[in-house]
Amino acid sequence: MRRAAPLFLLMLLPSVAAARDPTIETAMKDELARTLKELRIESHAGPYFVAFRLWDRASLQVSATLGALVASDSETARPFSAEVRVGTPEFDNTNFVGGGGWVPEKATTIEADYHAIRHDFWSVTDEAYKAAVETLSRKQAAFENRLRTEGLPDFGPADPVESRDPAVDLDLDPGRWEALARRLSAVFRRFPEFHRSSAGVRLTRQDDYLVTSEGTCLIEPAHILVIGIEAETQAADGMVLADATAVVVSLPDHLPPEAALAAEAEDLARRLSATRTAPVLDDYAGPAVFEPQAAAEVVLAVLARAFASNRPPESGRGESSLPAGPFQNRIGGRVLPRSFSVVDDPTAVAWEGTRLMGSYRYDDEGVPGRKVTLVEGGILKTLLTSRTPQRKLPLSNGHGRGRTGRPAIANLFVDAKDGLSAADLKARLLDEVELRGLPYGIVVRRMAGLTPTSVFRVFPDGREERVRGAQLQDMNHQAFKDILATSSRRYAHQVQQGDAVQGASVVTPSLLFEDVTFKRRQGPFPKLPIAPRRQVP
Amino acid sequence: MHRHLLLSLVPFLLAAPGLAGPRPPQMKPAWLLGLLDDELKRNLAVLKKEAVPPYFVSYTVRDLSADHVRASFGAVESDLRKHARTFAVEVRVGDYSLDNTHAIRGRGREPGYSTVSAALPIEDDEGAIREVLWRETDRAYKDAVERLAKVRTNRDVKVGEEDRSDDFSRESPERFVGEPVTIRVDRAAWRDRVKAWSARLLDDPRLLTGAASLWVTEERRWLVSSEGTSVFSGTSLARLVIEATTKADDGMLLPRNLTYASRSPDGLPPDEEVRKDVAGMMADLAAMRDAPQIDPYAGPAILSGRAAGVFFHEVFGHRVEGHRQKDEKEGQTFRDKVGQRILPDFLSVVFDPALRKVAGQEVVGGYELDDQGVRGRKVDVVVGGRFKGFLMSRSPVKGFPKSNGHGRGQAGRAPVARQSNLVVLAGESMPFAALKARLIEECRRQGKPYGLWFRGIEGGFTFTGREIPNAFNVIPTVVYRIHLDGREEMVRGADLIGTPLTALTTVIAASDRTEVFNGVCGAESGWVPVSASSPDLLLSQIEIQRKEKSQERLPILPPPPRTPGGRP
């Protein structure tokens, strides 16, 4: 019994740690080494940069309606890719419109098979290298007779990193989640006025592998659990109304108790049921308060996108056809009121006791995630960057995320001085309403993307009335310059963005915008169901 | 838009929306049949009072469970089990002569227009199931009313149609409760087998891809209609595909595959037989790499039985699918050929859903009732070279007012006329050796230095529409030149070209042995299992062009070593 480990030693190990088979890493490294040493076509240079990526993924997806299971899918897969750059960091085969075509996602073996993994990387690298050589010569030809106006390099520098975080052991047995989906979806049995409803669970456990020719070797576990609840109905005039909510956490242990989840479903059902019979909002232009969840959705859809700068590829035929982001040329200019500051911080793990979904040590290009002050005193300081250099932004600040390594937010903190209490914020709204001579102001409590799902008019006497059919019109970054006031309390909104396991957080106060336009939803709407439904207890 | 028809390797499992853990509990077929019938009647009773009442409603539920394992060069890439239920509702307004499914001319195709479908709970929960039936019926009814108005307007503003047949045939209702098919799959054993077969492909380092895939599916189907049809049936299918590609030194990509199908995994060939076939496929691929490229050729050729089956399925079968004769965008190759000679008089072609075996081999294109609840009937399409009629769904065409039980489709798609078990029958035949001698004789007569022998053919795309030439493209994989002295020489890079009618009319002889091809066929109503059987056929005239060569060169580096630190 010499091999048996003493009990106390086992107890010291973190409960989530799982053994990780070294086969994948060895195979990737060995094939990378061979690639760097030997891969070249006579008369062309070999690659100056190669990155091998592999996502070792197990996931399950469950959905149910009215207490009955609709689907329960489990999958294990290992998609992988090879990034090959030829030329020099100043001028290589990327950032070019005529670049190589889209490469379909390939998957390698789900077994610990050294040869099979190498074989797949070998074959994909061969294709990627040939395509890179071809693209580079096309790009050289396109730029032969003209000077690149910007002269931006194609690939920014980064220090190599080596890190292996322990694997996380997640129970992917669908039984528990099937039962949860059934129970949450059964809440809607008490709302026969709905036409469609569902509750679903998506759980993904993944190990992200990144091995590069610069010596980077990263193995990072990623996991996400999303509980999605949605329902749809029609108002008496036929207007289709839908609402959805998602609880996003990184591990099952972080889930709120089931009673809280059931309450989420119940809240959604009550909201939707009340919206169904609410009056329709007329066209409106004026002040509006976006309460935290709604504010976070607007920040996510408008600001977060603007902060994630994206360099449009060049065509060699002058201007790129793809537009640059709205903040691309605004660094140094005011984009928010003077009282605002905005920070994106992947290194933040929690905020006021809430675990944040956008935390990571290294981004998907292997660059350490750095805290970035985006806005100070209302002035735009910089943008989120990846290793693709931008004008005035030559270096990555560790925000290259997802499979494409495009810049994206991690944990975005919107902060403003002089926040008001809820009552004062409402009073401030009503002041503005009075100033503008409007009959009422608007409070948006909840949004799903840029669709308001819970909207109230607030009358000068303080009375609130739920309305339906309000559509946001022309909501863009300009509106953020004219925020009149904020709440002192902030809220953390957790979302899943981009790839399956890419989380992000937005922490924001409520926002009172000076000018928001809501357009009444126009018909004709679909007729109501003709036959009544058969109620089943 | 063109219609792509393809006898393919792609499994029909692809279309199923979900994948699940445990096999479904044994469902009581009668319970769901009763529920469907009740909800249909309840909805119909209300809709009947509307200004535009439905004259026909049908509900179909298809419950599909599937196991899939795929291994590449000895390593498993995926291993899954799927389970999903699809509900499809068809609502027809107007009447049998003109209804909402009528083609609207001057518009693009609307795939699956007459069927509304949705995922149905996989658990037998009355409330949850009724909600989906009710909601989708309402949607289908509204779509139908809207479309009928468009159909009527379209008919008023366009010139008269050439074919004024009804839109829906009258059929007597069927009541049938079959047995659910339950397949036990020994997953671990099959996983090992699939791994082992694909591992054999490692022995040739010049193979670029090499994989084996197994699909085992079982399907339960419930169908009720307002005409009184009430059907439950179960089917199953096991398919094994082993595929590999290599490259010739000049960069030409050379693919080859083995495909097997049976109603049960037990019906697939035993391990030793598959191993032998894999070895044969590898030998073919190695020989193909070194084989000379083919020269453009027009002259006599032999199609092996399997190749001829695929050939008939693609160039002939798709053109005798009835609904295509009505669509004025279609080529309608055989519309005015009824009673005429279209093939040599010693050839006949039948489609027979009742067949379970041909020439002692299992065929998988059969069924008792089609997906419109009509009994599958044997159809003599060609008798003694003369064209007799079409494969019919419930969409009538001129001269063919009734279905012959060939309305087929995958879960969630509106059924259309599709093939079942195709059999080419030859009234006169000879041993293969004699057929080969006859080929040489024909070469001499035509002054050709050699003839061709197509041992393997894969289904490609067939275009039956009018917009582009009515051409076919079946892909020859294993081709030999037969020299006048009888010598066989493998060649590569053959691309078949030509027009179907001409190719078909040049059959001059057949062998006395029949080969079977089992596969799944994809078209506008989705994937359905089919078979095609034929003797070897000698054609006096076939046209070949040289396949466009890939410009991609061979891999730059040799394959990696098998073990860390090992040699390639």
Side-chain angles (χ1 to χ4, degrees), chain B residues 80-92:
Chain B
L80 353 138
R81 177 165 280 196
K82 263 176 169 276
H83 180 205
R85 262 191 206 176
T86 309
F87 168 67
V89 47
E90 186 172 0
V91 175
R92 289 175 181 255

Side-chain angles (χ1 to χ4, degrees), chain A residues 26 30-31 34-35 38-42 61 65-78 107-111 113-116 118-120 122-123 126-127 129-131 134 174 178 182 189 191-192 194-197 232 234 526-536, chain B residues 17-22 38-39 42-43 46-47 50 72-81 83-85 119-123 125-128 130-132 134-136 138-139 141-142 191 195 202 205 207-209 247 552-565 568:
Chain A
T26 313
D30 288 358
E31 190 55 25
R34 186 170 78 123
T35 299
E38 297 173 23
L39 184 67
R40 78 181 35 83
I41 304 176
E42 333 70 58
Q61 197 160 343
T65 183
L66 300 176
L69 212 55
V70 175
S72 175
D73 308 344
S74 302
E75 196 187 7
T76 305
R78 282 189 189 147
T108 188
T109 177
I110 54 175
E111 298 184 296
D113 187 317
Y114 174 83
H115 177 258
R118 271 194 79 167
H119 195 278
D120 281 338
W122 161 67
S123 136
D126 186 76
E127 279 173 43
Y129 172 64
K130 287 171 184 163
E134 255 191 89
E178 288 172 357
R182 280 193 199 97
R189 289 190 99 112
F191 295 84
F194 296 169
H195 299 170
R196 187 195 299 269
S197 58
E232 187 187 294
Q234 270 179 293
K527 284 185 193 163
L528 293 177
I530 296 160
R533 67 186 292 170
R534 164 74 62 85
Q535 279 288 27
V536 178
Chain B
L19 55 120
D38 184 64
E39 192 63 24
R42 196 181 72 79
N43 279 276
V46 178
L47 298 175
E50 290 291 300
S72 171
F73 290 118
V76 175
E77 275 182 5
S78 84
D79 183 356
L80 353 138
R81 177 165 280 196
H83 180 205
R85 262 191 206 176
L120 197 70
I122 52 178
E123 296 177 317
D125 180 293
E126 185 184 344
R130 277 198 197 264
E131 182 185 75
V132 178
W134 161 76
R135 182 184 69 223
E136 301 304 322
D138 190 72
R139 181 156 75 101
Y141 170 72
K142 285 168 181 164
R191 186 179 160 124
K195 269 183 79 160
L202 277 169
L207 295 188
L208 299 177
T209 64
K247 251 184 190 189
E552 280 296 298
R553 47 189 280 172
L554 294 175
I556 300 161
L557 300 180
R562 300 242 185 135
T563 51

